[in-house]
Amino acid sequence: MGKTLMKGNEAIARAAILSGIDAYFGYPITPQNEIPEYLSKLMFEAGKVFVQAESEVAAINMVYGAAAAGFRTMTSSSSPGIALKQEGITYLCGAELPAVVVSVMRGGPGLGSITPSQGDYNQATRGGGNGDYHVIVFAPETIQETIDIMKEAFDIADYYRNPVMILVDGMIGQMMETVDLTKPVKKRFLPEKDWAANGTSRHSKRNVVNSLYIESDILEAHNLALKKKYDKVVINDTRYELINMEDPDYVIVAFGTMSRICRSAIEMLAEKKIRVGIIRPISLWPFPNVAFENLDAPHLKGILDVEMNLGQMLTDVLVANNGKYPVGFFGRAGGVVPEPEEVVDAILHFKNRVVK
Amino acid sequence: MGKTLMKGNEAIARAAILSGIDAYFGYPITPQNEIPEYLSKLMFEAGKVFVQAESEVAAINMVYGAAAAGFRTMTSSSSPGIALKQEGITYLCGAELPAVVVSVMRGGPGLGSITPSQGDYNQATRGGGNGDYHVIVFAPETIQETIDIMKEAFDIADYYRNPVMILVDGMIGQMMETVDLTKPVKKRFLPEKDWAANGTSRHSKRNVVNSLYIESDILEAHNLALKKKYDKVVINDTRYELINMEDPDYVIVAFGTMSRICRSAIEMLAEKKIRVGIIRPISLWPFPNVAFENLDAPHLKGILDVEMNLGQMLTDVLVANNGKYPVGFFGRAGGVVPEPEEVVDAILHFKNRVVK
Amino acid sequence: MGKTLMKGNEAIARAAILSGIDAYFGYPITPQNEIPEYLSKLMFEAGKVFVQAESEVAAINMVYGAAAAGFRTMTSSSSPGIALKQEGITYLCGAELPAVVVSVMRGGPGLGSITPSQGDYNQATRGGGNGDYHVIVFAPETIQETIDIMKEAFDIADYYRNPVMILVDGMIGQMMETVDLTKPVKKRFLPEKDWAANGTSRHSKRNVVNSLYIESDILEAHNLALKKKYDKVVINDTRYELINMEDPDYVIVAFGTMSRICRSAIEMLAEKKIRVGIIRPISLWPFPNVAFENLDAPHLKGILDVEMNLGQMLTDVLVANNGKYPVGFFGRAGGVVPEPEEVVDAILHFKNRVVK
Amino acid sequence: MGKTLMKGNEAIARAAILSGIDAYFGYPITPQNEIPEYLSKLMFEAGKVFVQAESEVAAINMVYGAAAAGFRTMTSSSSPGIALKQEGITYLCGAELPAVVVSVMRGGPGLGSITPSQGDYNQATRGGGNGDYHVIVFAPETIQETIDIMKEAFDIADYYRNPVMILVDGMIGQMMETVDLTKPVKKRFLPEKDWAANGTSRHSKRNVVNSLYIESDILEAHNLALKKKYDKVVINDTRYELINMEDPDYVIVAFGTMSRICRSAIEMLAEKKIRVGIIRPISLWPFPNVAFENLDAPHLKGILDVEMNLGQMLTDVLVANNGKYPVGFFGRAGGVVPEPEEVVDAILHFKNRVVK
């Protein structure tokens, strides 16, 4: 098929179809409305299920139902809409059900604005659901990367029997880029879903899918089994990109759209003979601690966390760094997208930015 | 009135009444059902509003409405029920509305169990709502402390115009202790709520309460104003208790019910000539970083985070410690309450517990 | 207090207060919004409960709950909003709970228009709830009559333990008339609500309020007991007004706003020496069959049913008449209010109007 | 395929599939649960859409959405569940959307019982939705007739662009009979749905489906157009069966399961030399007035309305008879199914049964 010019939200929809999605359930909210709009047409043409549900709560519970029956399913929403899905997401984790949740961030808190933002880092990585659980969160930087991760996300969800979140901002959703939908991605061996509650015609026993464990010791055993699975995700599916990391003076940590802007900023800084590398987390959970542990940078003066929020990833950066280097922060909030010059300036005046 | 023997959930209800609460909105879930049950009677007797809403989502939005009209209002729930309230909580924060949310944790994720747990630390401190916001979270250790904090919580909420969460586990809700409901608490000067949307009879202008800011720069200004407020909370209302902290060999970090068990453990350890102190965070957000920064402990071999979950507070402990001392973790999950002996053992074999 | 100029919706709200209402639950819909708007203020001032619920379904179920606990409660809505309440209304009837439902009709079907209409006659008198039940429906003609019936409605509801509906159209809601709120209405002896589920402090036994009767013979006995009650309502509380009924040439049947217009029409007809009487049903259920049975009109040429709909009351008129006189119909639909001249014309050409 | 033994609820599901249904939306309630249960499997196998919605309200609104997009769609429920759908049904009528609603009656009012009943005659024929609208209601007597009507119902709905209700009681749903699924039914010419809101790929203009008409005169024109359509239904699709109607002494009016019992009763009465005919309405709306108008029965002593309720069809029988013959009523309520002997007895003592 080759290269095509495509909007991010359309790419997400098309990549879902290419991933063999069986059912989509959602409820409208700007700036992700093109995803359900495209899917309402594409799913119909593909003979699959598309439901615009009564509410976000209804949609995520339909995802739960379809996933429990063994189907590939997804939902998508934006900031307050994702907030409403937190109960459903923790249920999916507790019941070990695969599903893909696309979150297109807008300004917050509350209704906030409809402009692009990274203000839902905490929401994505710490949830708001209850209990010890993790959602696997990927934050792509380009539309091509969004497509590639989408295509892999359903497999990863099935592989671990855990929800996977694709976290982008409105900018990625709305911009157009030339993409190749056919680019091959890593394939995994996926066994039959013999746990699915899809009738007894395929299994001799009646499968039950639930997240309720009345006995504390049985629930603890379940929690420890989940933890073991999460440890496996940390080892196998932590993802990040190292950019310009040969002997840097400074290291920027940035994800998604923000890292694109930082790429421009470090070129500007290179002209000023300041070498700045970027650690770009692709998986936000698991966070790439390993990239910080492996840091071999004799001239490193500090690490600058750059975000389109007021410092939500800072906690993870500080934990990963664990006191080794000075850590600073620069960010803009409320849906304001920083200019590369502002990032340059933050590096030039790093001392004013130091947090710890 | 003097001292009375009272169950935790009843104490929460009675303290709410003593705080001049105008309206309660909730939906049933174990193990917090005695709170609405008591309040349904107490509120009625006091001529106040009690509504068992259609759902958790409805309840938190009624809290929003009543708070916007200037009333003292609260809701209560447990783990998955709190998950459903995340959208409403971020709306309260965005619109700067005071309210008290009581969260009585049970085992998770998902439906989990109904036994006591601390598995909702992330849920309480990082929400799941969208955007840059904070809920002020207090985690009392005894029923008396629960009463005292409840009585102060409404004032704090009003003072900062921000929701305050009281985070306890089912054990505190269910146990009985001798308490003094009349113990005086700190009083604050609280101005008239001239921002309340309660008609034009009291104000010349028509007040509007909202969390929507369409323009990015205006939303950013709002975010920065919120941040300034949160900084003020960090300075004025970070709370913690230091226990046995004179020249300790080890420091335990524990909150709520868990710290009571650790008090027993450090007595057992004292018999073994091992001096162990406890940093007990009372406010979980803001986390008492200051207690770690001020640590002056020449013989300190390490810090042990002890929780009734799989290590959710660890991030905050690691950030606060920032690489200064070795940090270890011990926890039980799924609603299992650890014995003091297990904590003793974890200190005795601290090396096996080290995380970073 | 004497006479005051007042809008119909305000009068409804004030009459509710005068009736000792304890709680109001509703959800906004034009053209009845002034009722909750006034009550939100009046209930607050009176120290009573006002809740704007999450939906019409939530509101009617809150009415159910409050009524079950022995409180005087009401809701109000308009056409599609009343449709959503049908399940709740049949539950109230089945569980024999008193409540007042104010229905302010707008054009239909579906969303229709927001102009006045009488298109919900079937909805009011035949419900849409399931099973053998009746709501007592009053359709006042003036604001004064609305006030008087409202004031009596709560007593009637309590007396029969059955919901009472006040059915008006948007015109009565919006117009202003001089009224006397203090006009005395019939008082009934109302025993204590010893059936109310309001705790065991007042009763030795635990009251249960329900509409579920699993055994058919027990449910049939319940149905027959309800029927006996409904028969009592027919005998004691069928209401109608006879206007100009001495030896009429024609009789008009009209209710609510429509009968006001017909009053003008019969004056115009009197000038043409045509004597026309009006049977004005005040209670729509029970329908005033007795007024038709007692008809002693030797020159009567026919009965003309006049409605602001396409003939919904016609069934009841035909049943009441039972073939005795020719019956005709004239009506306008869609929120169009007929002119008196149109009614005059319909009488003058009665033959063209005959249905049966 | 020939004859098969089949349960009524299964037959309904299979007939829906044979009718080319595209989408089913429902919510569980006894005694119709086998319909969604069968359909969840059959729809899946047929590659069609099956959604168990969040509530009855959600389900009927999904029907609205799918019907507006031009799909063949249905829902099913039982008594209180149908009550919750009344708003959606009036919207379907107002927006002229085709859909099939299967109502399996249980005892009422409210929760009532789960035994068979005909207590929802008013609910089916007078709705509870608002405005001047009609649902076309068919009440089959046997499983074979249920199948045949189901197969025709989707065509009728499409032909008139109006919802069609299939009204049965739990007995028909639960009993088994030998049926022929392939029996041919009347086919109609159905034009393309060029009004469907299914995108602009098939139409040049953008279709809008709505029931809102802000201007009264436009809404009235819409009401009159609907009335014209309903008149057409009366003429073309009024259905009834005349049984044993040659010179009867008495005529029974009975529908659905009740008419089966009356068939036995008239055989017993024939042995006593009493000739009793049955007018069996198959369409409840439109009611077969014509069968009464055409009555040529010189020895007829009276008409006995027999129902499994307390006389809801009586109004329509009285209107149809219009005073011509004495009319009596016999019925059982609460889910009690009368014995043929009781019907025989009611005829033998007709005088005690006379109502008007």
Side-chain angles (χ1 to χ4, degrees):
Chain A
M1 172 173 180
K3 299 238 167 183
T4 334
L5 190 67
M6 198 174 283
K7 211 175 182 177
N9 281 338
E10 180 180 358
I12 289 169
R14 293 204 176 273
I17 295 286
L18 291 173
S19 307
I21 181 182
D22 296 303
Y24 172 93
F25 307 95
Y27 188 82
I29 181 170
T30 303
Q32 62 84 54
N33 283 328
E34 291 94 347
I35 301 175
E37 197 176 341
Y38 276 107
L39 280 173
S40 69
K41 207 171 151 232
L42 297 172
M43 294 295 277
F44 173 66
E45 288 168 4
K48 304 302 177 65
V49 172
F50 174 93
V51 179
Q52 179 176 315
E54 193 185 354
S55 67
E56 287 88 351
V57 176
I60 193 72
N61 281 293
M62 289 175 178
V63 165
Y64 184 99
F71 295 101
R72 287 215 149 172
T73 179
M74 82 179 254
T75 189
S76 62
S77 193
S78 178
S79 308
I82 297 290
L84 281 166
K85 292 182 194 293
Q86 298 295 356
E87 187 216 24
I89 290 171
T90 178
Y91 276 49
L92 288 165
C93 291
E96 296 195 79
L97 289 176
V100 171
V101 178
V102 176
S103 169
V104 183
M105 292 178 279
R106 55 190 255 183
L111 286 168
S113 69
I114 56 168
T115 47
S117 163
Q118 296 185 325
D120 303 345
Y121 182 93
N122 278 343
Q123 184 187 54
T125 61
R126 264 81 175 178
N130 56 300
D132 285 297
Y133 75 93
H134 289 291
V135 174
I136 304 166
V137 183
F138 295 113
E141 187 194 27
T142 62
I143 299 181
Q144 182 65 53
E145 192 176 40
T146 306
I147 290 169
D148 299 345
I149 289 179
M150 270 300 290
K151 280 163 69 182
E152 224 184 314
F154 288 93
D155 274 19
I156 296 174
D158 278 348
Y159 186 77
Y160 292 114
R161 292 183 53 189
N162 203 73
V164 171
M165 181 179 281
I166 311 293
L167 186 74
V168 297
D169 58 55
M171 196 172 295
I172 285 184
Q174 300 299 332
M175 68 164 60
M176 293 188 88
E177 291 186 314
T178 305
V179 294
D180 179 358
L181 279 163
T182 60
K183 202 180 138 187
V185 298
K186 181 179 166 189
K187 281 283 152 199
R188 287 158 206 254
F189 171 73
L190 296 172
E192 278 294 295
K193 294 181 177 180
D194 56 1
W195 47 263
N198 50 8
T200 49
S201 56
R202 299 173 226 185
H203 332 282
S204 51
K205 74 173 164 62
R206 186 169 153 271
N207 285 331
V208 172
V209 173
N210 203 349
S211 65
L212 186 69
Y213 294 84
I214 288 297
E215 300 298 328
S216 288
D217 49 350
I218 296 176
L219 179 55
E220 185 175 49
H222 174 57
N223 284 151
L224 294 173
L226 287 178
K227 173 145 188 18
K228 217 165 171 174
K229 179 169 86 175
Y230 296 138
D231 290 345
K232 218 169 109 186
V233 180
V234 171
I235 292 166
N236 295 327
D237 283 286
T238 298
R239 300 193 184 182
Y240 57 96
E241 185 185 0
L242 299 179
I243 303 157
N244 201 38
M245 286 291 283
E246 277 170 59
D247 197 15
D249 298 315
Y250 294 96
V251 164
I252 284 174
V253 192
F255 71 93
T257 298
M258 196 62 244
S259 59
R260 295 175 77 141
I261 295 159
C262 292
R263 283 179 195 264
S264 303
I266 65 172
E267 282 177 28
M268 295 176 183
L269 287 158
E271 288 172 20
K272 296 181 198 289
K273 308 290 172 205
I274 304 172
R275 277 170 309 184
V276 183
I278 301 176
I279 296 178
R280 178 170 76 89
I282 298 171
S283 61
L284 301 187
W285 191 91
F287 190 78
N289 287 302
V290 68
F292 294 79
E293 286 156 14
N294 295 342
L295 250 187
D296 176 25
H299 301 99
L300 188 59
K301 296 187 196 114
I303 296 171
L304 184 71
D305 174 21
V306 184
E307 303 182 62
M308 279 153 60
N309 63 44
L310 293 176
Q312 296 184 24
M313 185 171 60
L314 199 49
T315 305
D316 286 333
V317 173
L318 287 169
V319 168
N321 178 61
N322 202 29
K324 213 159 138 195
Y325 300 103
V327 173
F329 172 72
F330 170 73
R332 295 296 302 266
V336 176
V337 181
E339 299 291 328
E341 288 76 8
E342 295 179 71
V343 180
V344 168
D345 187 71
I347 286 289
L348 294 180
H349 304 89
F350 179 75
K351 270 184 191 143
N352 302 338
R353 296 281 158 196
V354 170
V355 174
K356 213 151 208 174
Chain B
M1 173 173 180
K3 299 235 167 187
T4 335
L5 191 66
M6 196 173 285
K7 212 176 183 175
N9 280 338
E10 180 180 358
I12 288 168
R14 293 203 177 275
I17 295 287
L18 291 172
S19 307
I21 182 184
D22 297 302
Y24 173 93
F25 307 96
Y27 188 81
I29 181 170
T30 304
Q32 62 83 54
N33 283 327
E34 292 94 346
I35 302 174
E37 197 176 341
Y38 275 108
L39 279 173
S40 69
K41 209 173 150 233
L42 297 172
M43 293 295 277
F44 173 66
E45 289 167 4
K48 303 302 177 64
V49 173
F50 174 93
V51 179
Q52 180 176 315
E54 193 186 355
S55 68
E56 286 89 350
V57 176
I60 193 70
N61 281 293
M62 288 175 179
V63 165
Y64 184 99
F71 294 101
R72 288 215 147 171
T73 179
M74 82 179 255
T75 188
S76 63
S77 192
S78 178
S79 307
I82 297 290
L84 281 166
K85 291 182 195 293
Q86 298 295 355
E87 187 216 24
I89 290 172
T90 178
Y91 276 48
L92 288 165
C93 290
E96 295 195 81
L97 290 176
V100 171
V101 178
V102 176
S103 169
V104 183
M105 292 178 280
R106 54 190 258 183
L111 286 168
S113 69
I114 56 169
T115 47
S117 163
Q118 296 185 325
D120 304 343
Y121 182 92
N122 278 343
Q123 185 187 53
T125 60
R126 264 81 174 177
N130 56 300
D132 286 296
Y133 74 94
H134 289 291
V135 174
I136 304 166
V137 184
F138 296 112
E141 187 193 29
T142 62
I143 299 180
Q144 182 65 52
E145 193 177 39
T146 306
I147 290 168
D148 299 345
I149 288 179
M150 270 299 289
K151 281 164 68 181
E152 224 183 315
F154 289 92
D155 275 19
I156 296 174
D158 278 348
Y159 186 77
Y160 292 113
R161 292 184 53 190
N162 202 72
V164 171
M165 182 179 280
I166 311 294
L167 186 74
V168 297
D169 59 55
M171 195 172 295
I172 285 184
Q174 301 298 331
M175 67 164 60
M176 292 188 89
E177 289 187 315
T178 306
V179 295
D180 179 358
L181 278 163
T182 60
K183 201 180 139 188
V185 297
K186 180 181 166 188
K187 282 283 153 198
R188 286 158 208 252
F189 171 72
L190 296 172
E192 278 295 295
K193 295 181 177 180
D194 55 2
W195 47 264
N198 52 7
T200 49
S201 56
R202 297 173 227 185
H203 331 282
S204 49
K205 74 174 166 61
R206 185 167 154 272
N207 285 330
V208 172
V209 173
N210 202 349
S211 66
L212 185 68
Y213 296 81
I214 288 295
E215 301 296 329
S216 288
D217 49 351
I218 296 175
L219 179 54
E220 185 173 50
H222 175 55
N223 285 151
L224 295 173
L226 287 178
K227 173 144 188 13
K228 214 164 172 177
K229 179 170 85 175
Y230 295 139
D231 290 345
K232 216 168 112 186
V233 180
V234 171
I235 292 166
N236 296 327
D237 282 285
T238 298
R239 299 192 185 184
Y240 58 95
E241 184 184 359
L242 298 179
I243 303 158
N244 203 37
M245 286 290 283
E246 279 170 56
D247 196 15
D249 298 316
Y250 295 95
V251 165
I252 284 174
V253 192
F255 72 93
T257 299
M258 195 63 243
S259 60
R260 295 174 76 140
I261 295 160
C262 291
R263 282 178 194 267
S264 303
I266 66 172
E267 282 178 28
M268 294 175 182
L269 286 158
E271 288 172 21
K272 295 183 196 290
K273 309 289 173 208
I274 303 173
R275 278 171 308 185
V276 183
I278 301 175
I279 295 177
R280 177 170 78 87
I282 299 172
S283 60
L284 301 187
W285 191 90
F287 190 77
N289 287 302
V290 68
F292 294 80
E293 286 157 13
N294 295 341
L295 251 187
D296 176 25
H299 300 100
L300 188 58
K301 296 189 196 115
I303 296 171
L304 184 70
D305 173 22
V306 184
E307 302 182 63
M308 280 153 60
N309 64 44
L310 294 177
Q312 295 184 25
M313 185 171 59
L314 200 48
T315 306
D316 286 332
V317 173
L318 287 168
V319 168
N321 179 60
N322 202 28
K324 212 158 140 197
Y325 300 103
V327 173
F329 172 73
F330 169 72
R332 295 296 301 267
V336 176
V337 181
E339 298 292 328
E341 289 77 8
E342 296 178 71
V343 180
V344 168
D345 187 71
I347 287 289
L348 293 179
H349 304 89
F350 179 76
K351 271 186 190 142
N352 303 337
R353 296 281 158 197
V354 171
V355 174
K356 212 148 210 178
Chain C
M1 174 174 179
K3 299 237 166 183
T4 334
L5 190 68
M6 197 174 284
K7 211 176 183 177
N9 281 337
E10 180 178 358
I12 289 169
R14 292 205 177 273
I17 296 286
L18 291 173
S19 307
I21 182 182
D22 296 304
Y24 173 94
F25 307 96
Y27 189 80
I29 180 170
T30 302
Q32 63 83 56
N33 284 327
E34 291 94 347
I35 301 174
E37 196 176 341
Y38 276 108
L39 279 172
S40 68
K41 207 173 151 230
L42 297 172
M43 293 296 276
F44 173 66
E45 288 168 5
K48 304 302 177 64
V49 173
F50 175 93
V51 179
Q52 181 177 315
E54 193 186 355
S55 66
E56 286 89 350
V57 176
I60 192 71
N61 281 292
M62 289 175 178
V63 165
Y64 183 100
F71 294 101
R72 287 216 149 170
T73 179
M74 82 178 255
T75 189
S76 62
S77 192
S78 177
S79 308
I82 297 290
L84 281 165
K85 292 181 193 294
Q86 298 294 356
E87 186 216 23
I89 290 172
T90 177
Y91 277 48
L92 288 165
C93 290
E96 294 194 79
L97 290 176
V100 171
V101 178
V102 176
S103 170
V104 183
M105 292 179 278
R106 54 189 256 182
L111 287 168
S113 68
I114 56 169
T115 47
S117 163
Q118 296 185 326
D120 303 345
Y121 182 93
N122 278 343
Q123 184 186 55
T125 60
R126 265 78 175 180
N130 56 301
D132 285 297
Y133 73 94
H134 289 291
V135 174
I136 304 166
V137 183
F138 295 112
E141 187 194 29
T142 60
I143 299 182
Q144 182 66 52
E145 192 177 40
T146 306
I147 290 168
D148 298 345
I149 289 179
M150 271 300 290
K151 281 163 71 181
E152 224 184 315
F154 289 93
D155 274 20
I156 296 174
D158 278 348
Y159 185 77
Y160 291 113
R161 292 183 55 190
N162 202 73
V164 170
M165 180 178 281
I166 311 294
L167 185 74
V168 296
D169 57 56
M171 196 172 295
I172 285 183
Q174 302 299 331
M175 66 165 63
M176 292 188 88
E177 290 187 313
T178 305
V179 294
D180 178 359
L181 279 163
T182 61
K183 202 180 139 188
V185 298
K186 181 181 167 188
K187 281 284 152 199
R188 286 158 207 254
F189 170 73
L190 297 172
E192 278 295 293
K193 295 181 178 180
D194 57 0
W195 48 264
N198 51 6
T200 49
S201 57
R202 297 173 227 185
H203 331 281
S204 50
K205 73 173 167 59
R206 185 168 154 271
N207 285 330
V208 173
V209 173
N210 203 349
S211 65
L212 186 68
Y213 295 82
I214 288 296
E215 301 296 330
S216 289
D217 49 350
I218 297 174
L219 179 55
E220 185 174 48
H222 175 55
N223 284 150
L224 294 174
L226 286 178
K227 173 146 188 10
K228 215 165 172 176
K229 179 170 84 175
Y230 296 138
D231 289 345
K232 216 169 112 188
V233 180
V234 171
I235 292 166
N236 296 326
D237 283 285
T238 298
R239 298 191 185 185
Y240 58 96
E241 185 186 359
L242 298 180
I243 302 158
N244 201 39
M245 286 292 281
E246 277 171 58
D247 195 15
D249 299 315
Y250 295 95
V251 164
I252 285 174
V253 192
F255 71 95
T257 298
M258 195 63 243
S259 58
R260 295 174 78 140
I261 295 160
C262 292
R263 282 179 196 265
S264 302
I266 65 172
E267 283 178 28
M268 294 176 184
L269 286 158
E271 289 172 20
K272 296 181 198 288
K273 308 291 172 204
I274 303 171
R275 278 170 309 184
V276 183
I278 301 176
I279 296 177
R280 179 169 76 88
I282 299 171
S283 60
L284 301 187
W285 192 93
F287 189 77
N289 288 302
V290 68
F292 294 79
E293 287 157 13
N294 295 341
L295 250 187
D296 176 25
H299 300 100
L300 189 58
K301 296 186 195 119
I303 296 172
L304 184 71
D305 174 20
V306 184
E307 302 183 62
M308 279 152 61
N309 64 44
L310 293 177
Q312 296 185 22
M313 184 171 59
L314 200 48
T315 305
D316 286 332
V317 173
L318 287 169
V319 168
N321 179 61
N322 202 30
K324 213 159 139 196
Y325 300 102
V327 173
F329 171 72
F330 170 71
R332 294 297 300 268
V336 176
V337 181
E339 298 291 328
E341 289 76 8
E342 296 178 71
V343 180
V344 168
D345 187 71
I347 287 288
L348 293 180
H349 304 88
F350 179 75
K351 271 185 190 142
N352 303 338
R353 296 281 158 196
V354 170
V355 175
K356 213 151 209 174
Chain D
M1 174 173 178
K3 299 237 167 183
T4 334
L5 191 66
M6 196 174 285
K7 211 177 184 175
N9 281 337
E10 180 179 358
I12 289 168
R14 293 204 176 275
I17 296 287
L18 291 173
S19 307
I21 182 182
D22 296 302
Y24 173 93
F25 308 95
Y27 188 81
I29 181 170
T30 302
Q32 63 82 55
N33 283 326
E34 292 94 347
I35 301 174
E37 198 176 340
Y38 275 108
L39 279 173
S40 69
K41 207 171 151 233
L42 296 173
M43 293 294 278
F44 173 66
E45 288 168 5
K48 303 302 177 65
V49 172
F50 174 93
V51 179
Q52 180 176 316
E54 192 185 356
S55 68
E56 287 88 351
V57 176
I60 192 71
N61 281 292
M62 289 174 178
V63 165
Y64 184 100
F71 294 102
R72 286 216 149 172
T73 178
M74 82 179 255
T75 189
S76 62
S77 192
S78 178
S79 307
I82 297 290
L84 281 166
K85 292 182 193 293
Q86 298 294 356
E87 187 216 23
I89 290 172
T90 177
Y91 276 48
L92 287 166
C93 291
E96 296 195 78
L97 289 176
V100 171
V101 177
V102 176
S103 169
V104 184
M105 292 178 280
R106 55 191 257 182
L111 286 168
S113 69
I114 57 169
T115 46
S117 163
Q118 296 185 325
D120 303 345
Y121 182 92
N122 278 343
Q123 185 186 54
T125 60
R126 264 80 174 179
N130 56 300
D132 285 296
Y133 73 94
H134 289 290
V135 174
I136 304 166
V137 183
F138 295 113
E141 188 193 28
T142 62
I143 299 181
Q144 183 65 52
E145 192 176 39
T146 306
I147 290 169
D148 299 345
I149 288 180
M150 270 300 289
K151 281 164 69 181
E152 223 184 314
F154 289 93
D155 274 19
I156 296 174
D158 278 348
Y159 185 76
Y160 292 113
R161 293 183 53 189
N162 203 72
V164 170
M165 181 179 280
I166 311 294
L167 185 74
V168 297
D169 59 55
M171 195 172 294
I172 284 183
Q174 301 298 331
M175 67 164 61
M176 292 188 88
E177 290 187 314
T178 305
V179 295
D180 179 358
L181 279 163
T182 60
K183 200 179 140 190
V185 298
K186 180 181 166 189
K187 281 284 152 199
R188 285 158 208 252
F189 170 72
L190 297 172
E192 278 295 295
K193 294 181 177 180
D194 56 2
W195 48 265
N198 52 5
T200 49
S201 57
R202 296 174 230 185
H203 331 282
S204 50
K205 74 174 167 60
R206 186 168 154 269
N207 285 329
V208 173
V209 174
N210 203 350
S211 66
L212 186 67
Y213 294 82
I214 288 297
E215 300 297 329
S216 288
D217 49 350
I218 296 175
L219 179 54
E220 185 174 50
H222 175 56
N223 283 152
L224 294 174
L226 288 178
K227 172 140 188 20
K228 216 163 170 178
K229 179 169 86 175
Y230 296 139
D231 290 345
K232 215 168 112 187
V233 180
V234 171
I235 292 166
N236 295 327
D237 283 285
T238 298
R239 299 191 186 185
Y240 58 95
E241 184 184 0
L242 298 180
I243 303 158
N244 201 39
M245 286 292 282
E246 279 170 55
D247 196 16
D249 299 316
Y250 294 95
V251 165
I252 285 174
V253 191
F255 71 93
T257 298
M258 196 62 243
S259 59
R260 295 175 77 141
I261 295 160
C262 291
R263 282 178 195 265
S264 304
I266 65 172
E267 284 178 28
M268 295 176 183
L269 287 159
E271 289 172 20
K272 294 181 196 291
K273 308 290 174 205
I274 303 172
R275 279 170 307 183
V276 182
I278 302 176
I279 296 178
R280 177 170 78 86
I282 298 171
S283 59
L284 301 186
W285 192 92
F287 190 76
N289 288 303
V290 68
F292 294 79
E293 286 157 13
N294 295 342
L295 251 186
D296 175 27
H299 300 100
L300 187 58
K301 296 187 197 116
I303 296 172
L304 184 70
D305 174 21
V306 185
E307 303 182 62
M308 280 153 60
N309 63 45
L310 293 177
Q312 296 184 24
M313 184 170 59
L314 199 47
T315 306
D316 286 332
V317 173
L318 287 169
V319 168
N321 179 60
N322 202 30
K324 211 158 140 197
Y325 299 103
V327 174
F329 172 73
F330 170 71
R332 294 295 301 267
V336 176
V337 180
E339 298 293 329
E341 289 76 8
E342 296 177 73
V343 180
V344 168
D345 188 71
I347 287 288
L348 293 180
H349 304 86
F350 179 75
K351 271 184 191 144
N352 303 338
R353 296 280 158 199
V354 170
V355 175
K356 212 149 207 174

